[in-house]
Amino acid sequence: MNTVGLKANFVGTKVSAKAAKTAAPVAKMVTKCGPYDAELIETANKIATAGRGILAMDESNGTCGKRLEAVGVENVEANRRAYRDLLVSTPGLGDYISGAILFEETLYQSKLDGTSFVDTLNASGVVPGIKVDKGLVPMTNSNNESWCQGLDGLADRCAAYYKQGARFCKWRSVVSVEAGPSEKALFDCAYGLARYAAIAQENGLVPIVEPEVLLDGTHTIEETYEVALKIWAQTFKCMADQGVMFEGILLKPAMVTPGADCPDRASPEKVAELTLKMLGNRVPPSVPGIMFLSGGQSELEATLNLNAMNQTPNPWHVSFSFARALQNSVIKCWAGDESKTEEAQKILLARCKANSDANLGKFEADGSVTDERTYEKGYVY
């Protein structure tokens, strides 16, 4: 047998040509490109700028009312507007604050001279944002766990908020260490956040992604760490499945701390070590900024922990999105007294500067920051 001839025929030009004709076509790479992609990236990076963070003032009317009533002020629209006016009108706010999260009522409110709060913030260099979730409700057949509602009608709401001037938004969901958490609660939290983030981006709003690991309980810092790893892994998987653009989001995690009732407290250095370890194992460097919630920590505790996290370079902007840890002393000073507005604004600016310094890793406690805890069990916005 002429094996040479067979070999020649087998790889001859006719066979080679036929093989070339039947080869599978090369798949083309398709890159997602939404109508707001460039703007989303620009907004996220504007908020995640050195020395600045987010003022969270998105408490619902009910929660804001509790704050007012605690200082002897009636919960009516005029008083809510007056207090929020104090916050957004603080001179120099934009030096330390890059974004402000508003409640829906606040987004449409104005100063007494008719200037909208949105225009007031923009004039200070502060990006207006909006809370878009509809709150937590009990999860059926669970260990006293919750799920977050608000996906119905979200696209229309986001479009309306964008038209009003909002450029980023927030959705808070929670998981409980004390409750397990269950696998279905972890998935529901992550999936809901991913669907929200995709819808927000489609309508021009940078989504802040917030799967809060609750402080409620006696759990140790190590137990918090393990649950944080789980929920952030699930959240990024779901966001990838939903086509969320990571360059156009911001994160709002809880710091990795012991439970509020755990007898073993952790130093800022330990909180920083485990928090950054967790984030380093879960968060891609394409995410522009990580804006921590204070979660009921005292003003001093939240600032010291943030400062400890910025002692070495991080792949993301590591800053703050504080509510109670910025406002607690402010509202107590003001207490509805118009003559106290300037003094209260100076307190707010000092709190903002302290956390700006912490973002830069330069905060030094001087005794002026209160160590009073702001924790509330079962806290709702």
Side-chain angles (χ1 to χ4, degrees):
M1 180 181 292
N2 187 351
T3 56
V4 176
L6 280 173
K7 184 177 180 182
N9 288 335
F10 190 73
V11 296
T13 56
K14 290 184 179 181
V15 174
S16 298
K18 184 176 181 181
K21 289 179 182 178
T22 58
V26 178
K28 295 182 179 180
M29 181 180 293
V30 178
T31 303
K32 174 183 178 290
C33 185
Y36 293 102
D37 283 5
E39 182 182 350
L40 292 168
I41 294 171
E42 181 182 357
T43 299
N45 282 281
K46 181 177 180 180
I47 294 172
T49 52
R52 299 207 294 169
I54 293 173
L55 169 60
M57 47 180 291
D58 57 319
E59 297 90 347
S60 66
N61 290 345
T63 301
C64 184
K66 291 178 183 178
R67 303 275 182 272
L68 293 174
E69 289 164 358
V71 295
V73 179
E74 185 182 3
N75 181 22
V76 295
E77 190 277 337
N79 290 335
R80 293 194 299 270
R81 186 210 58 76
Y83 176 61
R84 291 159 174 167
D85 186 356
L86 178 158
L87 298 175
V88 303
S89 301
T90 297
L93 186 68
D95 293 341
Y96 311 115
I97 297 296
S98 54
I101 311 172
L102 310 178
F103 186 62
E104 185 175 52
E105 179 183 73
T106 320
L107 184 68
Y108 292 92
Q109 284 177 319
S110 299
K111 296 165 59 66
L112 288 178
D113 66 7
T115 306
S116 71
F117 285 172
V118 167
D119 288 343
T120 302
L121 290 168
N122 282 325
S124 299
V126 179
V127 180
I130 179 71
K131 166 187 163 73
V132 298
D133 68 76
K134 292 295 183 179
L136 301 171
V137 291
M139 177 177 284
T140 303
N141 297 329
S142 72
N143 186 22
N144 295 318
E145 295 170 291
S146 301
W147 66 280
C148 187
Q149 56 190 350
L151 289 176
D152 289 351
L154 179 60
D156 290 340
R157 296 202 311 276
C158 285
Y161 298 149
Y162 183 92
K163 184 177 180 181
Q164 181 62 16
R167 290 298 178 267
F168 72 101
C169 57
K170 189 199 86 167
W171 177 290
R172 175 187 181 247
S173 195
V174 302
V175 293
S176 168
V177 180
E178 292 295 282
S182 66
E183 289 301 317
K184 71 175 182 178
L186 286 168
F187 177 78
D188 184 86
C189 176
Y191 179 76
L193 284 165
R195 291 291 300 124
Y196 138 76
I199 292 168
Q201 287 188 337
E202 186 69 19
N203 289 279
L205 300 180
V206 171
I208 290 182
V209 179
E210 182 181 357
E212 180 178 352
V213 179
L214 294 172
L215 272 179
D216 302 22
T218 60
H219 49 277
T220 65
I221 191 172
E222 290 79 14
E223 289 173 306
T224 304
Y225 173 80
E226 292 299 327
V227 171
L229 282 176
K230 288 181 180 180
I231 188 55
W232 280 110
Q234 187 83 277
T235 300
F236 271 100
K237 170 62 168 60
C238 287
M239 285 198 293
D241 290 345
Q242 295 297 323
V244 174
M245 180 178 65
F246 294 164
E247 295 88 346
I249 66 173
L250 296 167
L251 307 185
K252 187 171 178 174
M255 298 177 187
V256 176
T257 65
D261 297 321
C262 178
D264 299 323
R265 307 315 296 165
S267 67
E269 292 73 23
K270 185 65 174 179
V271 171
E273 176 193 351
L274 288 185
T275 302
L276 293 176
K277 181 180 178 182
M278 182 275 295
L279 294 172
N281 276 286
R282 292 295 182 263
V283 182
S286 56
V287 173
I290 294 172
M291 324 298 284
F292 283 103
L293 58 91
S294 54
Q297 299 177 78
S298 73
E299 293 179 355
L300 179 60
E301 185 180 14
T303 306
L304 286 172
N305 288 339
L306 178 62
N307 187 69
M309 282 183 241
N310 283 294
Q311 295 306 302
T312 55
N314 294 302
W316 337 267
H317 175 74
V318 174
S319 195
F320 60 94
S321 177
F322 293 167
R324 288 166 284 174
L326 290 181
Q327 297 183 47
N328 194 45
S329 297
V330 177
I331 196 168
K332 288 180 178 180
C333 171
W334 173 69
D337 184 348
E338 189 176 345
S339 69
K340 292 278 192 178
T341 295
E342 185 176 344
E343 182 181 351
Q345 289 178 328
K346 288 180 179 178
I347 292 172
L348 174 61
L349 203 64
R351 291 296 305 125
C352 293
K353 184 182 185 304
N355 287 288
S356 168
D357 289 344
N359 167 248
L360 300 172
K362 299 178 179 179
F363 173 72
E364 295 183 7
D366 58 6
S368 64
V369 183
T370 177
D371 200 24
E372 178 186 351
R373 295 182 76 195
T374 61
Y375 167 73
E376 296 177 28
K377 186 173 182 178
Y379 180 71
V380 294
Y381 276 83

